Amino acid sequence: MRKTLLYILPMWATLALLSGCSTTSHLPEGETLYVGIDKIDYSQVPQHSRKIRRDSVGVITTIGDVVNTVSDVLSGTSSLSDLANVRRDDGDVVVDNSSTADAEGQAVLREALKTAKSEVGAVLAYAPNNALFGSSSLRSPLQFELWFYNMFVNSKGKFGKWMFKNFAGAPVLISTVSPATRVKVAQNTLENYGFFRGKVDYEILPQKNPKKAKIKYNVQVGPLSRLDSIAYLRFTPAQQQLVSSSMDDRLLRSGDAFSVVNLANERTRLGNLFRENGYYYWEDNFTAYKADTLMRRGYVQLQVQPSPMVSERANHPWYMGNVIVAMRRNERDRLDKTRTRRNYTYQYGGNKMPLRANMWRHAITHRHGEPYSMTDQRATLEKLNRIGVFSQLDVNYVPRDTAASCDTLDLYVTALLDKPFNSNLEMNATLKSNDQLGPGLSYTINKINAFRGGEKLSFKIFGSYEWQLHAAKGVKRSQLNSYELGAQLSLHFPRFYAPFISRRRLRFPAETTVAVDVDWRRRSSFFTLVSAGLGLTYNWHKKATVLHELTPLNIDFDNIIHTSDEFKEIMDANPALYTSMRDQYIPSMSYLFTYTSSESHRNSLMIQLFAKEAGNVTSGIFAIAGKKFSQQGKKILGSPFAQFLKTTFEARYSVPFGERFRIATRFFAGAIWSYGNQLVAPYAEQFYVGGANSVRGFAVRSIGPGPYRSDNRKYAYIDQTGDFKLEANAELRMRLFGSLHGAIFADAGNVWLMRDDPMRPNAQISGKNLKYIAVGTGAGLRYDLSFLVLRFDVGIGLHAPYDTGKRGFYNLEKFRDGLNFHFAIGYPF
């Protein structure tokens, strides 16, 4: 008790001293400290307060003109004529000239109000000093930033300057918030979403301390203007046909709120539609709007038509012509050779082309005589850059001649190749999910454009030493330290390289990698392992947010060349563990699907699906030779091979709150089923929980499977793996100050077996055994070096899935038994 008081009393004394410091003593003359906003009041402007007089037709050529023109109409300073009096050309498209029912109108109004309030709230929001969760109205009672600011703002000493630089925060002033500017932006925001009669104002609310004040905003929402009839007029016949064929994709519909955001998005949609179908020179601002608000009160009759500024060459489609490629090995290289094949012309120096012709034809997805396509342009640029052999690359689309009737674009590509060799020496520190940390050294040499097809031939040697940061109770960490030496030879192709795939039909980026590797690893006090592998992997993506990875061939061979007596005793006591760790082949195929939301999304989402099979093709070959598919013990060159199916699912979702806070979540589920030749999965393929990137309240491999807990705690971590895994994690991440971030987290999970194991009773997955879940919590600090994140987490175990002799949710025997410290690199998920 005395020791506790010795820690608590100084902390309270420090807080009392700081709380007595003023937060306004060093404000600039005449300034007021901003302490947040009061609740925003919303009210409705009466419908009958609007007067309109008829005037003239207005053409809206920019999105800004939409707001100004219609706002003037609704305020009574101007108006637009009835669209019924406007001449329509043959082929014009008129849609949605009927209004929506009142019930639907109310739904539109509610949705528009909801959106407008959200956007206006975002405009008016401004966090004060030490805001809680980024709130604009809630502040922490502990104003550390301001206390340190007022204590050290005028400090001359080194310590005071250091304290000010690292802990002080400049006071947020009313003048900094600039409420007058914010109400103007908020009013424009209301207009952007169809509330043209809206009004926003503010007042300053002084606090008890006259140097502190809140801001009170009042928002009057005007009547909502909605779209009535929408006509697409005066486009060329070819453009009109494109518009007609894409009407299901339009973003402007009768009854919707008159929204500048939707007008801008529809303009972008039309621009993409035209550029995708040959209109290379079409720009988004070539689409203009004409509106009439007098035909029906509260509604807008809208025309969508080309702007008068559209140039002649933007008004017709362009077709792809010849491709002219000029490539140099270096800047002094003379282009003294020319080679023409079909519609491709290659200019280069030397005896051979630096990059083979088929590489250019594969990378350039445009086809001669076809209309220009924006998608093809993007794919061409991406595939050329992914070849990875250029130090400079320039791509231009040029009309073939200056005649008014010209409709052909020739493609000019100028390329400068990179140096043929490069190498790099890396010194790094690695942290694995099993809590092993250590330095590593690697040297890689690359031959760029090895066979004039953009290939990269790489040879890498590496070595590392890793020690265990945290081990289960009763285990010496030195027993888990490991040494590793290895080498890898790989050949990378910037395309699909397979006899059964036609490369001309693949208009999306793809890669092929063939790799051979060998690895020597020694685990102190246990074993020495030699591994060899051969793999063939394809990567491709049709969308920027979706990545596919297919490994149709992967063969791994593990051979334990030395074991200690301790390791032999462990294997003899656990037959299943011996089967998973003995010498074996793993002939496998796998597929990985990854979806990552685009950077423009406020909330980020990552979904990953993985499937792997091993040994089935091999067992099929043995079955053809006369051995049953389900027969066990079949061998290749004297060693058995694994046979299993494995699948995993992982989802990560994070939501920001203000500028300082973010909630990050993760869910993982995985299962592996071994059958046929071997009923136990290889040890490296099994699942485990605990450690720096898992349930942080427990050490790595210290819980599971199910409620199992070994009597021999010294080696329990070795067999605490499973065939089925569930895990969930959540973190509240916050920026503290500078590059220092903090987090509060909660983790839960466990592993189970797919088959009953007498050595690990009650560990098989079942409905009643799903209740055996490990739960932990904790807090941590993260220091962001921009290129590296250093992480220190303190995990606290709350609930163990095994029997501890204690009842209730918190069932750990001692608090210190559930206390785990994790030093890590990078975020846990």
Side-chain angles (χ1 to χ4, degrees):
M1 182 67 179
R2 290 181 179 178
K3 290 183 177 179
T4 304
L5 288 175
L6 287 175
Y7 288 109
I8 295 177
L9 289 176
M11 292 175 61
W12 277 110
T14 302
L15 289 175
L17 177 64
L18 288 173
S19 62
C21 298
S22 172
T23 58
T24 59
S25 59
H26 287 87
L27 294 181
E29 187 69 26
E31 293 285 2
T32 305
L33 181 68
Y34 167 73
V35 293
I37 64 174
D38 205 354
K39 183 179 179 181
I40 302 175
D41 283 339
Y42 289 91
S43 60
Q44 188 81 25
V45 175
Q47 291 270 0
H48 59 74
S49 64
R50 181 178 59 178
K51 292 177 70 175
I52 300 177
R53 64 180 177 83
R54 186 175 297 272
D55 197 317
S56 59
V57 176
V59 177
I60 304 166
T61 56
T62 68
I63 294 300
D65 291 339
V66 175
V67 176
N68 296 332
T69 304
V70 180
S71 182
D72 290 343
V73 169
L74 296 178
S75 63
T77 58
S78 66
S79 64
L80 303 174
S81 71
D82 196 324
L83 286 184
N85 298 324
V86 179
R87 182 180 60 85
R88 292 172 177 161
D89 299 331
D90 292 338
D92 292 342
V93 180
V94 181
V95 295
D96 294 333
N97 53 6
S98 60
S99 63
T100 54
D102 288 342
E104 184 178 347
Q106 290 299 315
V108 171
L109 176 60
R110 287 193 298 268
E111 187 64 28
L113 278 172
K114 180 181 177 181
T115 303
K117 284 184 177 181
S118 176
E119 295 298 324
V120 168
V123 169
L124 300 179
Y126 200 100
N129 292 100
N130 294 102
L132 291 176
F133 305 104
S135 171
S136 297
S137 55
L138 300 177
R139 302 168 70 223
S140 169
L142 304 176
Q143 295 290 312
F144 290 107
E145 288 185 347
L146 290 177
W147 291 337
F148 285 116
Y149 176 87
N150 286 279
M151 290 175 64
F152 298 104
V153 64
N154 295 321
S155 179
K156 304 297 183 182
K158 291 184 178 179
F159 174 75
K161 290 182 178 179
W162 181 84
M163 291 290 291
F164 183 82
K165 178 181 178 181
N166 289 279
F167 297 101
V172 179
L173 308 173
I174 292 291
S175 61
T176 305
V177 180
S178 187
T181 301
R182 289 183 178 275
V183 297
K184 292 179 181 178
V185 177
Q187 192 157 325
N188 287 337
T189 302
L190 286 176
E191 294 177 347
N192 288 347
Y193 288 93
F195 297 97
F196 291 99
R197 290 277 296 164
K199 182 181 179 182
V200 184
D201 57 24
Y202 74 96
E203 57 181 315
I204 304 297
L205 304 178
Q207 305 297 292
K208 290 182 179 180
N209 182 344
K211 291 188 176 182
K212 297 180 180 179
K214 283 190 173 184
I215 301 175
K216 174 71 173 179
Y217 292 104
N218 300 292
V219 180
Q220 289 184 309
V221 181
L224 176 65
S225 295
R226 294 161 58 191
L227 295 174
D228 195 7
S229 65
I230 305 161
Y232 293 78
L233 308 174
R234 296 188 178 85
F235 291 98
T236 66
Q239 292 170 342
Q240 205 73 52
Q241 186 175 0
L242 290 173
V243 172
S244 299
S245 64
S246 66
M247 292 308 293
D248 290 341
D249 301 324
R250 69 190 186 278
L251 304 177
L252 303 176
R253 297 179 183 272
S254 175
D256 287 352
F258 185 89
S259 167
V260 172
V261 175
N262 287 344
L263 294 181
N265 291 338
E266 177 68 0
R267 169 178 282 176
T268 300
R269 185 189 74 86
L270 290 175
N272 291 337
L273 174 68
F274 293 150
R275 287 189 292 271
E276 192 64 31
N277 289 273
Y279 293 83
Y280 175 74
Y281 290 101
W282 186 273
E283 299 177 11
D284 289 349
N285 61 3
F286 288 169
T287 299
Y289 295 99
K290 183 181 288 187
D292 185 341
T293 60
L294 300 180
M295 178 178 289
R296 187 179 179 198
R297 184 175 181 179
Y299 285 82
V300 177
Q301 320 294 320
L302 190 68
Q303 282 187 352
V304 186
Q305 61 187 40
S307 166
M309 70 176 68
V310 178
S311 62
E312 182 60 33
R313 66 179 185 177
N315 228 13
H316 68 81
W318 292 80
Y319 299 88
M320 296 307 301
N322 298 325
V323 178
I324 297 91
V325 179
M327 55 188 121
R328 290 180 170 86
R329 293 180 175 85
N330 54 67
E331 293 180 350
R332 299 184 302 273
D333 205 3
R334 296 180 56 189
L335 303 180
D336 54 5
K337 300 287 181 61
T338 300
R339 176 182 174 186
T340 300
R341 183 177 181 184
R342 297 178 184 173
N343 59 298
Y344 279 77
T345 299
Y346 306 98
Q347 300 170 354
Y348 59 95
N351 296 326
K352 294 183 178 180
M353 290 174 55
L355 194 65
R356 292 198 304 267
N358 64 336
M359 287 300 301
W360 295 104
R361 293 197 302 273
H362 171 66
I364 297 174
T365 57
H366 295 290
R367 294 294 176 259
H368 185 267
E370 292 184 357
Y372 159 83
S373 165
M374 183 173 60
T375 297
D376 284 343
Q377 179 181 354
R378 291 173 177 170
T380 295
L381 292 174
E382 184 172 359
K383 293 178 77 169
L384 285 173
N385 283 307
R386 288 176 70 94
I387 293 176
V389 301
F390 307 116
S391 62
Q392 296 180 22
L393 185 66
D394 190 23
V395 179
N396 291 294
Y397 296 79
V398 180
R400 179 165 294 178
D401 54 55
T402 58
S405 60
C406 178
D407 64 353
T408 302
L409 288 174
D410 288 333
L411 181 62
Y412 286 80
V413 182
T414 304
L416 178 63
L417 271 68
D418 208 345
K419 296 179 180 179
F421 287 95
N422 63 45
S423 63
N424 63 305
L425 178 67
E426 293 184 1
M427 300 180 65
N428 53 51
T430 59
L431 176 70
K432 297 182 178 179
S433 57
N434 59 3
D435 272 2
Q436 284 195 317
L437 172 71
L441 181 68
S442 66
Y443 175 76
T444 305
I445 183 170
N446 302 306
K447 176 68 168 71
I448 307 299
N449 198 27
F451 308 110
R452 295 189 302 116
E455 305 88 355
K456 181 171 71 173
L457 181 65
S458 301
F459 178 72
K460 178 180 181 180
I461 55 175
F462 56 89
S464 66
Y465 172 73
E466 299 170 356
W467 61 84
Q468 194 76 25
L469 287 176
H470 193 79
K473 185 178 179 182
V475 181
K476 293 182 179 180
R477 285 181 291 175
S478 61
Q479 292 178 315
L480 305 179
N481 295 351
S482 66
Y483 313 81
E484 183 178 12
L485 290 173
Q488 183 186 68
L489 179 66
S490 63
L491 181 59
H492 173 82
F493 301 88
R495 59 190 181 278
F496 268 114
Y497 198 86
F500 53 86
I501 296 179
S502 173
R503 287 181 291 168
R504 290 184 60 84
R505 300 179 63 182
L506 301 178
R507 297 194 177 189
F508 49 85
E511 298 176 348
T512 305
T513 302
V514 182
V516 179
D517 60 80
V518 62
D519 186 72
W520 175 90
R521 182 178 303 168
R522 185 184 179 198
R523 179 65 63 87
S524 298
S525 304
F526 288 125
F527 60 82
T528 301
L529 174 71
V530 174
S531 300
L534 169 66
L536 170 64
T537 302
Y538 297 103
N539 290 280
W540 73 95
H541 67 272
K542 293 184 178 181
K543 298 180 180 179
T545 57
V546 177
L547 176 66
H548 305 269
E549 180 179 302
L550 175 66
T551 304
L553 173 65
N554 191 79
I555 301 175
D556 292 314
F557 175 67
D558 297 332
N559 181 25
I560 298 179
I561 60 176
H562 173 74
T563 58
S564 65
D565 292 337
E566 289 180 287
F567 185 75
K568 291 178 181 178
E569 291 179 7
I570 298 171
M571 296 299 104
D572 292 340
N574 194 328
L577 183 62
Y578 164 74
T579 302
S580 69
M581 299 191 70
R582 65 183 176 180
D583 296 351
Q584 60 186 311
Y585 287 94
I586 308 176
S588 64
M589 294 186 291
S590 64
Y591 170 73
L592 177 66
F593 169 88
T594 303
Y595 167 81
T596 306
S597 59
S598 64
E599 296 181 356
S600 61
H601 288 187
R602 180 175 179 269
N603 303 337
S604 63
L605 173 66
M606 190 280 288
I607 295 177
Q608 199 168 73
L609 297 170
F610 176 75
K612 184 176 183 178
E613 74 80 27
N616 293 291
V617 175
T618 307
S619 285
I621 296 174
F622 273 94
I624 295 174
K627 293 188 177 182
K628 292 183 178 181
F629 187 85
S630 59
Q631 179 181 333
Q632 297 183 26
K634 300 186 288 290
K635 296 182 178 181
I636 301 175
L637 300 177
S639 295
F641 60 88
Q643 189 172 356
F644 60 81
L645 291 175
K646 180 179 182 180
T647 182
T648 65
F649 169 82
E650 182 176 5
R652 301 179 184 183
Y653 185 69
S654 66
V655 182
F657 290 90
E659 297 181 355
R660 300 172 66 96
F661 294 88
R662 176 178 289 271
I663 291 180
T665 59
R666 171 180 176 266
F667 175 76
F668 180 91
I672 184 169
W673 174 253
S674 301
Y675 57 94
N677 198 54
Q678 188 167 294
L679 300 183
V680 180
Y683 191 77
E685 299 289 347
Q686 296 181 22
F687 303 103
Y688 61 88
V689 292
N693 298 327
S694 183
V695 184
R696 283 159 282 185
F698 298 86
V700 62
R701 293 192 181 95
S702 63
I703 48 179
Y708 170 73
R709 191 184 192 190
S710 173
D711 295 331
N712 184 356
R713 301 303 301 151
K714 184 176 182 180
Y715 302 119
Y717 69 93
I718 295 180
D719 60 353
Q720 295 204 247
T721 59
D723 306 318
F724 187 88
K725 176 179 177 179
L726 289 176
E727 185 177 312
N729 317 85
E731 282 194 349
L732 173 61
R733 298 171 181 172
M734 64 206 80
R735 183 178 65 83
L736 300 178
F737 48 82
S739 299
L740 186 63
H741 300 249
I744 302 172
F745 55 82
D747 307 310
N750 203 353
V751 294
W752 294 264
L753 301 178
M754 298 291 280
R755 288 188 173 89
D756 184 46
D757 182 357
M759 304 298 296
R760 293 176 285 182
N762 299 319
Q764 186 177 6
I765 183 68
S766 65
K768 68 175 183 178
N769 283 347
L770 281 175
K771 65 182 179 181
Y772 298 115
I773 295 288
V775 181
T777 186
L781 295 173
R782 293 89 194 273
Y783 192 76
D784 190 351
L785 299 173
S786 70
F787 64 92
L788 186 70
V789 175
L790 301 178
R791 174 164 58 97
F792 176 72
D793 287 338
V794 179
I796 302 172
L798 297 178
H799 181 80
Y802 48 79
D803 183 15
T804 63
K806 295 183 66 175
R807 295 184 178 181
F809 178 75
Y810 183 81
N811 64 347
L812 272 72
E813 298 168 86
K814 298 178 181 179
F815 177 78
R816 64 183 180 184
D817 291 341
L819 198 62
N820 290 272
F821 302 96
H822 305 284
F823 175 75
I825 297 174
Y827 288 99
F829 53 88

